[in-house]
Amino acid sequence: MDEIFEIIKNLFSAAGFMPRWICGQWSETLGWLYIAANIATGLAYLSIPILLYKFVKRRKEKLVNRVFLCFMLFIFFCGATHIIDAIIFWTPVYRLNAVVLLMTAVISWITVFVLYRFLPKALKYRSPADLQRIIEEQTNDLAVAYQKLSISENQFKTLVNSNPDIITRIDKNLTYQFINDSISKVRTMEANSIIGKNMRDVQGDGDNKINELFISHVETAFITNKPKTFEFETYTNIDHHNYFQLSIIPLENQTGDTPNDVLTITKNITQQKLYELELKRNIDSLELLTHRIEKKRKILEDFTYIVSHNLRSPVANLAGLLSLLNEEEDEEMRNMFIEKINIAFENLSTTVTDLTNVVQIRQNTEIPKEELFFQEIVSSHIINLETQIKETAATIACDFTACEKINYPKVYLESIILNLLTNAIKYRSPERAPQIIFKSNIDQDGIISLTCEDNGLGINLEKYGAKLFGLNKTFHAHPDAKGTGLFITKNQIETMGGTISAKSEVDKGTKFIIYFNAPNR
């Protein structure tokens, strides 16, 4: 072991050895022939790995690379032994020569092992003749496949061209790569005149906006890589006005990145669209008819309530006056009661006439409006309710200076004010005389409002607020409470596009606020 370390330590030393020139009987000719042969052989050996390296570098088979690498090392070390053998004539580096010979032996056996394992696989490699035969066979197969592909392509083109839908393929530069013959059915164009052109260069008469929309959707499909569908209507050269549905489908590429092409399918949906439009018109007509029927039913329902509600108070007033007339003996007082009875009868007759006119409205779904003065309506009701007003010592104040009149159905306005007035008297506080204040207003937007404020019993809105305007809802134990007055009033106001609300405190009074033409308030 020490001797091996000694060899390695003095690897490049010539100590202990003599140059080969002086060992043996070397003639000058023989010596130089031996030296030249070794150098030439060594240089040849060293050149071969360089050429092999260039060959291996262009190959991708790892197995072949390993075999050639072993050969390159083997040949390199063989060449090195020849070079060292020539050097020994002058410098006897036998230790270096021995190590190089050892490495050459190791590399040689490694090469033998690799070559042994490679030969079975190398035998599987085709000879040039076999490769040529395979190429010819595959060429023939490709020719047959190409012929079949051409037949299939022609069949496909025939099928696509016979399709009534317009089918195109467009690349990412917005150039038409394909379009079927169906384009000639809607445009005075031939497919061959469009293929190869940019979308912006292909436009029909008067459809620039549609073409720009088409281009925009195609560009979006390229960016998002998602299908797009939209509908449009345009004029064609055959059937005039038509509806179309256009679908844009990105064609996936092998890398999965932004598509290189999109497929577009334009389908004529005119008949379908016409059916949809006809169906929509029928639905709209049905909805309108339903609305009209519902409105007529609502008007009829309101009229029924108005008849029963609006006639009750005047009849009760007449009954009271007749009772007073029968009990009165003084001729002058009797004449006064008779005069008031006549006035009450005239007002009742007017009310019945107005209600009769409403019934006679058949064609119009809206009750006709007329110019009405608030003061006249209130004054008329004060006369009709004179008995109740005197019995309760009620005072009624009006302030209609801000808005004296309104264009409104008379029968509705009379019913609204009558309900508010009779409710204020009916639900008065037993501890004080009723005070009722009517006030009108009109804002800068022309919204007319009316308030009716009293000092009566009031309503617990926290408890009954949600039921305040409900049908048959009563909130006080009054014998004449029917729960229909506010329900009628609310429906009348809302039918004409208005709203009604209330503010109230128990035992302090109630204030009703009406906006006649402000449904969003």
Side-chain angles (χ1 to χ4, degrees):
M1 197 61 154
D2 293 338
E3 187 174 355
I4 293 175
F5 285 122
E6 184 67 25
I7 292 173
I8 295 173
K9 181 179 179 182
N10 299 299
L11 186 63
F12 296 98
S13 174
F17 299 96
M18 298 180 64
R20 187 172 287 179
W21 274 117
I22 60 177
C23 292
Q25 297 180 356
W26 291 93
S27 64
E28 188 171 350
T29 301
L30 180 60
W32 282 107
L33 179 62
Y34 190 90
I35 293 170
N38 272 304
I39 292 174
T41 303
L43 290 175
Y45 271 120
L46 295 177
S47 300
I48 291 173
I50 296 173
L51 297 176
L52 288 176
Y53 172 76
K54 291 182 178 180
F55 173 78
V56 171
K57 190 175 182 181
R58 297 181 181 181
R59 303 288 297 186
K60 296 182 179 180
E61 295 86 350
K62 294 184 177 179
L63 181 62
V64 175
N65 289 348
R66 287 197 296 269
V67 173
F68 275 90
L69 179 61
C70 290
F71 268 104
M72 289 164 57
L73 292 173
F74 165 70
I75 295 170
F76 174 80
F77 279 102
C78 288
T81 59
H82 283 280
I83 297 298
I84 294 173
D85 203 26
I87 294 174
I88 288 176
F89 270 83
W90 290 279
T91 304
V93 286
Y94 284 100
R95 297 179 184 84
L96 176 62
N97 193 36
V99 173
V100 172
L101 286 171
L102 176 63
M103 294 179 65
T104 303
V106 173
I107 294 298
S108 299
W109 279 106
I110 291 174
T111 304
V112 170
F113 176 75
V114 172
L115 187 60
Y116 174 78
R117 297 193 59 176
F118 172 72
L119 283 177
K121 297 180 180 179
L123 292 174
K124 296 180 181 179
Y125 288 172
R126 301 287 186 176
S127 65
D130 290 339
L131 292 176
Q132 182 63 32
R133 179 176 53 79
I134 292 172
I135 291 173
E136 291 176 357
E137 290 177 353
Q138 291 184 349
T139 301
N140 292 333
D141 292 342
L142 287 174
V144 174
Y146 178 77
Q147 185 179 7
K148 292 181 179 179
L149 180 62
S150 298
I151 295 173
S152 298
E153 184 178 359
N154 291 333
Q155 292 175 344
F156 176 75
K157 285 184 177 180
T158 303
L159 178 63
V160 171
N161 286 327
S162 62
N163 193 311
D165 299 338
I166 302 172
I167 302 174
T168 72
R169 182 167 63 87
I170 303 171
D171 65 18
K172 59 185 177 182
N173 295 320
L174 305 183
T175 302
Y176 284 99
Q177 300 297 314
F178 172 81
I179 186 169
N180 65 344
D181 294 337
S182 296
I183 184 65
S184 60
K185 297 178 182 179
V186 296
R187 288 284 182 264
T188 54
M189 301 176 181
E190 296 295 332
N192 292 333
S193 65
I194 298 175
I195 296 175
K197 289 185 178 181
N198 189 277
M199 293 178 67
R200 291 187 169 85
D201 298 331
V202 180
Q203 295 184 6
D205 299 332
D207 61 352
N208 294 344
K209 290 184 179 179
I210 296 174
N211 196 59
E212 288 301 321
L213 181 63
F214 182 21
I215 293 172
S216 173
H217 282 294
V218 169
E219 291 175 335
T220 302
F222 274 114
I223 295 172
T224 62
N225 197 16
K226 293 181 179 179
K228 298 279 294 181
T229 300
F230 70 98
E231 296 180 0
F232 64 92
E233 51 184 305
T234 186
Y235 285 88
T236 66
N237 61 331
I238 298 176
D239 296 325
H240 305 295
H241 191 266
N242 278 257
Y243 295 89
F244 294 91
Q245 181 187 70
L246 197 153
S247 299
I248 304 169
I249 307 168
L251 299 178
E252 294 184 0
N253 53 32
Q254 294 180 349
T255 61
D257 298 330
T258 303
N260 294 324
D261 302 274
V262 295
L263 184 71
T264 73
I265 302 174
T266 306
K267 185 179 184 65
N268 192 321
I269 58 170
T270 302
Q271 290 301 320
Q272 175 185 339
K273 203 69 178 178
L274 291 177
Y275 290 146
E276 289 179 1
L277 293 175
E278 181 66 21
L279 179 61
K280 186 178 183 302
R281 282 194 293 267
N282 291 337
I283 292 174
D284 291 341
S285 298
L286 184 60
E287 288 179 349
L288 181 60
L289 179 61
T290 303
H291 176 72
R292 288 176 177 174
I293 293 174
E294 176 62 22
K295 199 163 186 179
K296 286 183 178 181
R297 186 198 64 78
K298 183 68 175 173
I299 292 173
L300 181 59
E301 184 181 76
D302 286 347
F303 174 76
T304 304
Y305 283 126
I306 291 168
V307 169
S308 63
H309 195 273
N310 287 25
L311 295 182
R312 186 191 308 162
S313 295
V315 169
N317 186 50
L318 281 171
L321 289 172
L322 288 171
S323 178
L324 292 173
L325 177 63
N326 292 330
E327 294 175 359
E328 185 62 48
E329 296 180 355
D330 183 75
E331 189 66 25
E332 185 177 349
M333 290 298 295
R334 287 176 63 86
N335 291 334
M336 183 189 70
F337 284 133
I338 292 172
E339 182 180 352
K340 289 183 179 182
I341 289 172
N342 289 332
I343 295 173
F345 269 119
E346 289 179 3
N347 290 334
L348 180 60
S349 177
T350 302
T351 301
V352 171
T353 301
D354 291 337
L355 293 174
T356 302
N357 290 334
V358 172
V359 175
Q360 293 174 348
I361 298 173
R362 297 181 179 180
Q363 299 299 326
N364 296 327
T365 59
E366 294 186 355
I367 298 177
K369 301 177 183 180
E370 56 185 294
E371 187 178 74
L372 303 172
F373 288 86
F374 289 111
Q375 187 62 61
E376 290 181 2
I377 302 296
V378 173
S379 298
S380 175
H381 287 315
I382 290 174
I383 294 173
N384 290 331
L385 299 174
E386 182 177 3
T387 302
Q388 293 96 315
I389 293 172
K390 284 186 176 181
E391 288 178 353
T392 59
T395 58
I396 303 171
C398 300
D399 181 6
F400 300 128
T401 54
C403 181
E404 297 181 350
K405 58 186 177 179
I406 185 173
N407 193 34
Y408 211 72
K410 183 178 181 181
V411 66
Y412 275 8
L413 187 60
E414 286 181 337
S415 178
I416 292 167
I417 293 178
L418 178 61
N419 275 326
L420 296 177
L421 184 57
T422 55
N423 279 353
I425 296 173
K426 185 186 303 181
Y427 302 111
R428 63 191 179 277
S429 172
E431 298 178 359
R432 53 187 176 270
Q435 292 182 354
I436 307 165
I437 302 173
F438 285 96
K439 185 176 181 179
S440 64
N441 189 40
I442 183 169
D443 63 15
Q444 59 183 6
D445 297 322
I447 306 301
I448 298 174
S449 62
L450 176 69
T451 61
C452 177
E453 187 173 0
D454 63 56
N455 63 341
L457 294 173
I459 303 170
N460 187 343
L461 294 181
E462 291 184 2
K463 185 176 181 180
Y464 301 114
K467 303 177 181 179
L468 182 59
F469 297 100
L471 180 62
N472 297 326
K473 302 298 181 182
T474 58
F475 312 106
H476 299 290
H478 194 284
D480 292 333
K482 303 295 183 181
T484 58
L486 289 178
F487 175 78
I488 294 172
T489 299
K490 181 176 184 292
N491 280 272
Q492 291 167 342
I493 293 170
E494 290 182 349
T495 298
M496 302 310 299
T499 62
I500 181 171
S501 60
K503 297 179 180 178
S504 184
E505 290 186 43
V506 176
D507 202 35
K508 288 189 177 180
T510 303
K511 181 178 182 180
F512 288 95
I513 305 101
I514 299 171
Y515 291 97
F516 289 101
N517 49 351
N520 293 327
R521 284 183 178 265

